[in-house]
Amino acid sequence: MRRFSLIVLAAAAACVQPPAQAQVTLSGTLDLGVKSVSNTGVGSQKSMSSGANSTSRIIVNGREDLGDGLWAGFHLEHGLLGDTGAAASASKFWDRRSTVSLGHSRWGELRLGRDFVPSYNNWSRYDPFAYVGVARSANVVSASPTGPIRSAFGSNANTTVRSDNAVQLLLPGGLGGVEGSAMVAAGEGGAVASGLAKVIGLRLGYATKTWGVSAATTSSENSLTTDGKFKDTAIGGHAQLAGVRLTAAWRQFDVGQAEQVLWLVGAVYTQGVHEFKASWTRSDMSGSVGTTVLGANDASQWGLGYVYNLSKRSVVYASVARISNDGASRYTITDGPAGMAAGGSSSGYEVGMRHRF
Amino acid sequence: MRRFSLIVLAAAAACVQPPAQAQVTLSGTLDLGVKSVSNTGVGSQKSMSSGANSTSRIIVNGREDLGDGLWAGFHLEHGLLGDTGAAASASKFWDRRSTVSLGHSRWGELRLGRDFVPSYNNWSRYDPFAYVGVARSANVVSASPTGPIRSAFGSNANTTVRSDNAVQLLLPGGLGGVEGSAMVAAGEGGAVASGLAKVIGLRLGYATKTWGVSAATTSSENSLTTDGKFKDTAIGGHAQLAGVRLTAAWRQFDVGQAEQVLWLVGAVYTQGVHEFKASWTRSDMSGSVGTTVLGANDASQWGLGYVYNLSKRSVVYASVARISNDGASRYTITDGPAGMAAGGSSSGYEVGMRHRF
Amino acid sequence: MRRFSLIVLAAAAACVQPPAQAQVTLSGTLDLGVKSVSNTGVGSQKSMSSGANSTSRIIVNGREDLGDGLWAGFHLEHGLLGDTGAAASASKFWDRRSTVSLGHSRWGELRLGRDFVPSYNNWSRYDPFAYVGVARSANVVSASPTGPIRSAFGSNANTTVRSDNAVQLLLPGGLGGVEGSAMVAAGEGGAVASGLAKVIGLRLGYATKTWGVSAATTSSENSLTTDGKFKDTAIGGHAQLAGVRLTAAWRQFDVGQAEQVLWLVGAVYTQGVHEFKASWTRSDMSGSVGTTVLGANDASQWGLGYVYNLSKRSVVYASVARISNDGASRYTITDGPAGMAAGGSSSGYEVGMRHRF
């Protein structure tokens, strides 16, 4: 096996004449670590984790300049579990993104295919842990596989993160700090069993060099959301103070009589190669799913993290997090031992390394 | 995520010294569009389509010059559904092609592995829509999953498009317009459940700059073709008149007492960046499958398409097609609403963009 | 489809200024052949084989120099069956290796993720056929899916070749011929159904230019190894005499009351572009699995191979092998006809070509 059969130039300057336009790019991330999670009453469990700092992935993408500000491009992104070598999604190899785009420097971008929904986009950017690792805000998102609002989507793929079959319009750059996007996805007449949902979403933001605010809303319906659309709204903001990036965000899921409100406060302090991260997330449930009253399903989580940047591409990191559950709530950090009783606490830590290529 | 971490040279001229021989190439196509299909009596359905102009795919291939006209090469091709990010085949990642070759400029090419069968190769080249999109001739191919002759292969992979385990000999170039190939595939003693079939096929063609003709035949047998081999014969020709490429082709499937004959007439008119396409396909069934008489299963389809070439790599396109069914026939354009009665009509259109990389 | 859209430089010298550091490499192997296997009393079967000289695969890897001897790197390796285009593992796309590393020229390498276990590493290197093809020593390894010791791992993934979730330390180069590694893998509290096992292993070797010896041991436990750990020990050596590389190795599997001892003697003679290979492997079973006494399960295999090197990257090859079974033993060369009686013989040959890219 020849390892370096394909030699790649890291800078255009490597050649005397600049290379013509790049047609395709192969890049990605591999991130692995060791992790331990303890849950009240059921002990602890060690495991190897993938993507605790940044999801392990492979990206194949490219862009073609068509002249006069017009361009075409594509983006395929495959998530993988580096600890076992498995694809992150058994049914969708390019689960993270699969889009083709036609764009113009002044008119924005028309993007077709599978991508993040606007509300997810507008929430995860304010999570200092980027929705991954022991301290990810996803741990207390009830629309994830563990929570009661999840029943709106049965056991199949939902739209709290991404949507298939989407048409998006994205605002161009150069609008004086205004950015935004609109998404529509076809339900394709399918039942939820195939993960299909009719989606409509919007995102609008404004940012300067030191602060920004943005809001998004996404509405989905499929054969399981029989008592009305599933609504997902996220509002957030950030401010840069000295070396600290402060973030705050609010997200609300609504379906039928059930509602979940999430609060997130985060801080990232960067000093040279050191990065310190802290987050606090709170989930408040209300209403009901069928005859199950959700009011006593609240939980809160805090997380702390440290990242040492070996280079722009390679880091080592450590994180610690703890979830406190109230009442019937039993949110846990993933990969811990099963069987924690309601109202228990889940705590965990991880140490790992991330390499981008 | 660094998007352009791998910088690629689009022309050898980019370096003062020419690069040594390329060892591996990463390329492909991403093609997405929006589509609507109406079927008699059951309304219409909108969806996102993948590969309506050219199948979405990733190709990893390469060739090594061994000197004295000898070369070695490989080709791996993965089909994907860009609308969801799923692999086109759940069981075969490199479903479109997986071959290794040893070739010689004068003696031709020995190619081992999964590839198109000769008859498919000799039919699809005459379809102006290349067997994809709303107007693809595949819509009325009964050996596809929808038709009666399909029963010869049960619900598993058949050999109307590709074969696993194949050994092929391909004629070299430079034979004064003569081209051709022979294929043999091992049945591997397997039942059809694994998609295995014993295959033998031949293709021979002759082409000048302005016209060409070719013929191919492919014969398959497996544990389901109990009343004789499945035979697939395709004959076609093309002529270039002014800016118009005219094509005509005939294909016949035979198994046991069942027979299907397909006729295809196509035209592609290219003027600068504009491309206009038209096709007419007719399916005539005869004989029987078990006690089911097939005579009343005929259908015809016409298709019209327009392609605007933004560049050699990027296009936008629109197509429209309509299938008229006779008797018990119920061919439909894919992704329409289910439940059309026999004898109904199916019509659809799509608008999309295709990017090659 | 543009085939050579990505032009790759095969040597840094191709540019006047040397390229900056490579970030990612795409490489691999495609190896296909035709094969026939005859088993006593049940005839023969022809098939197409993948990876008979070297496993068909795609590798994406890279390394970043962090200065002062420190480096970071990753390695993703996907096995594939070139005859059908399928992934070698249905559940783990990157089944061959998925690791991220932090290394130092003087302190060695810390490697996280899925990789070979030390004992496998220390056995396969002494097999002239590299554990693949008709003559591979794997044919008579009872811990493979066919043998009685396999029951220690049920029908799921075992650790005789690789382990998920592993942390490894590898000795650096420059230790005067001493090399070695240690591996620990988390069981993740999982049942064997998910292929999880707690693993601990060690490998230590010493090599000069003309000879070398090495030893390794690996111990695994999971929910199926209820009567004690599964132990896998391998010791081997090689010597270079004129153009001949001689190898000898011994491997022992132990679990509960069952034991298997394997002996391997190999020779590879290289003369210019010609390579001649021979191997003899013997399996001795003893003890029992439950009430099944294993003593009468012995077998021996010899293999002969010839490789013609068309270039460093491309070869054509032919191999032949025969297994003689004693008593209740029924080891066979893979892809032969089913149903051979105990004590029969299995013989096979293959002819193919391998291309590296």
Side-chain angles (χ1 to χ4, degrees), chain A residues 33-236:
Chain A
V34 292
K35 177 178 179 179
S36 180
V37 176
S38 298
N39 293 336
T40 302
V42 288
S44 70
Q45 187 174 300
K46 285 182 186 62
S47 60
M48 179 160 281
S49 61
S50 175
N53 175 273
S54 179
T55 304
S56 296
R57 74 190 76 180
I58 284 185
I59 301 169
V60 179
N61 63 3
R63 184 187 271 235
E64 180 189 21
D65 182 358
L66 298 167
D68 295 324
L70 197 66
W71 58 271
F74 77 104
H75 186 109
L76 287 167
E77 191 167 328
H78 157 65
L80 66 103
L81 305 175
D83 49 341
T84 64
S89 161
S91 60
K92 295 178 183 174
F93 188 81
W94 304 99
D95 63 314
R96 293 185 53 81
R97 187 167 154 193
S98 167
T99 61
V100 67
S101 295
L102 192 61
H104 190 279
S105 54
R106 282 182 58 194
W107 306 112
E109 176 184 350
L110 172 65
R111 187 186 291 178
L112 305 184
R114 177 173 173 82
D115 201 0
F116 291 123
V117 297
S119 295
Y120 172 83
N121 235 331
N122 205 51
W123 169 261
S124 62
R125 65 176 54 197
Y126 298 116
D127 181 348
F129 294 92
Y131 221 69
V132 294
V134 291
R136 64 186 191 145
S137 59
N139 287 333
V140 294
V141 171
S142 174
S144 289
T146 46
I149 287 187
R150 185 67 173 91
S151 65
F153 289 95
S155 57
N156 295 294
N158 68 25
T159 54
T160 56
V161 177
R162 294 179 184 84
S163 175
D164 287 345
N165 306 314
V167 177
Q168 286 183 86
L169 284 166
L170 293 94
L171 292 181
L175 297 182
V178 175
E179 48 154 358
S181 65
M183 173 185 274
V184 182
E188 300 201 345
V192 74
S194 29
L196 297 171
K198 214 175 198 170
V199 176
I200 184 160
L202 276 170
R203 200 178 79 77
L204 201 65
Y206 175 78
T208 71
K209 282 191 177 177
T210 52
W211 64 277
V213 289
S214 58
T217 184
T218 309
S219 166
S220 311
E221 65 187 313
N222 62 27
S223 65
L224 280 182
T225 51
T226 44
D227 45 354
K229 294 179 183 179
F230 176 76
K231 288 174 197 161
D232 175 359
T233 307
I235 299 174

Side-chain angles (χ1 to χ4, degrees), chain C residues 274-328:
Chain C
H274 307 283
E275 199 178 315
F276 300 89
K277 305 194 282 189
S279 74
W280 176 85
T281 315
R282 173 145 188 88
S283 160
D284 287 314
M285 305 286 292
S286 59
S288 56
V289 170
T291 57
T292 309
V293 175
L294 300 180
N297 275 283
D298 300 344
S300 62
Q301 170 183 282
W302 57 258
L304 295 173
Y306 170 72
V307 180
Y308 181 84
N309 289 275
L310 294 158
S311 72
K312 286 190 179 177
R313 295 167 50 202
S314 300
V315 308
V316 290
Y317 60 84
S319 303
V320 58
R322 181 177 178 88
I323 299 174
S324 301
N325 290 287
D326 291 340

Side-chain angles (χ1 to χ4, degrees), chain C residues 8 39 57 105 150 152-153 185 203-204 228 235 276 292 325 336-337 352:
Chain C
V8 166
N39 294 334
R57 74 191 75 180
S105 53
R150 185 68 174 90
F153 289 95
R203 199 178 79 79
L204 201 64
I235 299 174
F276 300 89
T292 309
N325 290 287

Side-chain angles (χ1 to χ4, degrees), chain B residues 21-82:
Chain B
Q21 171 185 313
Q23 295 202 349
V24 59
T25 293
L26 175 66
S27 62
T29 300
L30 202 57
D31 177 343
L32 289 168
V34 291
K35 178 178 178 178
S36 180
V37 176
S38 298
N39 293 335
T40 303
V42 288
S44 70
Q45 188 175 300
K46 284 182 187 62
S47 60
M48 178 160 282
S49 60
S50 175
N53 176 273
S54 178
T55 305
S56 296
R57 73 191 76 179
I58 284 185
I59 300 169
V60 179
N61 62 2
R63 183 186 271 235
E64 181 189 19
D65 182 357
L66 298 168
D68 294 325
L70 197 66
W71 58 270
F74 77 104
H75 187 109
L76 288 167
E77 192 167 328
H78 157 64
L80 67 102
L81 305 175

Side-chain angles (χ1 to χ4, degrees), chain A residues 295-299 325-330 341-344:
Chain A
N297 276 283
D298 300 344
N325 289 287
D326 292 339
S329 169
R330 55 177 88 203

Side-chain angles (χ1 to χ4, degrees), chain C residues 25 30 46 93 109 111 125 134 174 190 209 216 272 293 328 354:
Chain C
T25 293
L30 202 58
K46 285 183 187 63
F93 188 80
E109 176 183 350
R111 187 187 291 177
R125 64 177 55 197
V134 291
K209 281 190 178 177
V293 175
R354 184 215 80 203

Side-chain angles (χ1 to χ4, degrees), chain B residues 2 5-6 8-12 15-27 57 59-61 64 66 70 72-74 76-77 91-94 97-102 110 112-114 164-167 186 188-189 313 356-357, chain C residues 1-11 13-16 23-27 29-34 45-49 57-58 78 80-87 93 310-314 316 335 351-357:
Chain B
R2 295 183 65 260
S5 63
L6 191 153
V8 167
L9 305 186
C15 278
V16 166
Q17 294 181 30
Q21 171 185 313
Q23 295 202 349
V24 59
T25 293
L26 175 66
S27 62
R57 73 191 76 179
I59 300 169
V60 179
N61 62 2
E64 181 189 19
L66 298 168
L70 197 66
F74 77 104
L76 288 167
E77 192 167 328
S91 60
K92 296 178 183 175
F93 188 81
W94 304 99
R97 186 166 155 194
S98 166
T99 61
V100 66
S101 296
L102 192 61
L110 172 65
L112 304 184
R114 178 174 174 82
D164 287 343
N165 307 312
V167 177
E188 300 202 346
R313 296 167 50 202
R356 284 189 182 144
F357 52 92
Chain C
M1 182 175 46
R2 296 183 65 260
R3 291 233 194 154
F4 290 87
S5 62
L6 190 152
I7 294 182
V8 166
L9 305 186
C15 280
V16 168
Q23 296 202 349
V24 60
T25 293
L26 175 66
S27 62
T29 300
L30 202 58
D31 177 343
L32 288 169
V34 292
Q45 188 174 299
K46 285 183 187 63
S47 60
M48 178 159 281
S49 60
R57 74 191 75 180
I58 283 186
H78 157 65
L80 66 102
L81 305 176
D83 49 341
T84 64
F93 188 80
L310 294 158
S311 72
K312 286 190 179 177
R313 295 167 50 202
S314 300
V316 290
D335 302 326
V351 179
M353 55 174 139
R354 184 215 80 203
H355 178 69
R356 284 190 182 142
F357 51 93

Side-chain angles (χ1 to χ4, degrees), chain C residues 55-326:
Chain C
T55 305
S56 296
R57 74 191 75 180
I58 283 186
I59 300 169
V60 179
N61 64 2
R63 184 187 270 235
E64 181 190 19
D65 182 358
L66 298 167
D68 294 325
L70 196 67
W71 59 270
F74 78 104
H75 186 109
L76 288 167
E77 191 167 329
H78 157 65
L80 66 102
L81 305 176
D83 49 341
T84 64
S89 162
S91 60
K92 295 178 183 174
F93 188 80
W94 303 99
D95 63 314
R96 293 185 53 81
R97 187 168 155 193
S98 166
T99 61
V100 67
S101 295
L102 192 61
H104 190 278
S105 53
R106 283 181 57 194
W107 306 112
E109 176 183 350
L110 171 66
R111 187 187 291 177
L112 305 184
R114 177 174 174 82
D115 200 0
F116 290 123
V117 297
S119 295
Y120 172 82
N121 234 331
N122 204 52
W123 169 261
S124 63
R125 64 177 55 197
Y126 298 116
D127 181 350
F129 294 93
Y131 221 69
V132 293
V134 291
R136 62 185 192 148
S137 58
N139 287 333
V140 293
V141 171
S142 174
S144 288
T146 47
I149 288 187
R150 185 68 174 90
S151 64
F153 289 95
S155 56
N156 296 294
N158 69 24
T159 55
T160 56
V161 178
R162 294 180 184 84
S163 175
D164 287 345
N165 307 312
V167 177
Q168 285 182 88
L169 283 166
L170 293 94
L171 291 181
L175 297 182
V178 175
E179 49 152 358
S181 65
M183 173 184 273
V184 182
E188 300 202 345
V192 74
S194 29
L196 297 170
K198 215 174 197 169
V199 176
I200 184 158
L202 276 169
R203 199 178 79 79
L204 201 64
Y206 176 76
T208 71
K209 281 190 178 177
T210 53
W211 64 275
V213 289
S214 58
T217 183
T218 309
S219 167
S220 311
E221 64 186 313
N222 61 28
S223 65
L224 281 182
T225 52
T226 46
D227 45 354
K229 294 178 183 177
F230 176 77
K231 288 175 196 159
D232 175 358
T233 307
I235 299 174
H238 77 274
Q240 193 74 33
L241 298 175
V244 184
R245 185 178 189 264
L246 293 173
T247 56
W250 171 92
R251 191 176 186 180
Q252 182 178 297
F253 298 112
D254 279 291
V255 64
Q257 303 305 310
E259 182 178 281
Q260 181 180 25
V261 174
L262 296 162
W263 291 96
L264 170 67
V265 179
V268 179
Y269 173 58
T270 307
Q271 194 189 37
V273 298
H274 307 283
E275 199 178 315
F276 300 89
K277 305 194 282 189
S279 74
W280 176 85
T281 315
R282 173 145 188 88
S283 160
D284 287 314
M285 305 286 292
S286 59
S288 56
V289 170
T291 57
T292 309
V293 175
L294 300 180
N297 275 283
D298 300 344
S300 62
Q301 170 183 282
W302 57 258
L304 295 173
Y306 170 72
V307 180
Y308 181 84
N309 289 275
L310 294 158
S311 72
K312 286 190 179 177
R313 295 167 50 202
S314 300
V315 308
V316 290
Y317 60 84
S319 303
V320 58
R322 181 177 178 88
I323 299 174
S324 301
N325 290 287
D326 291 340

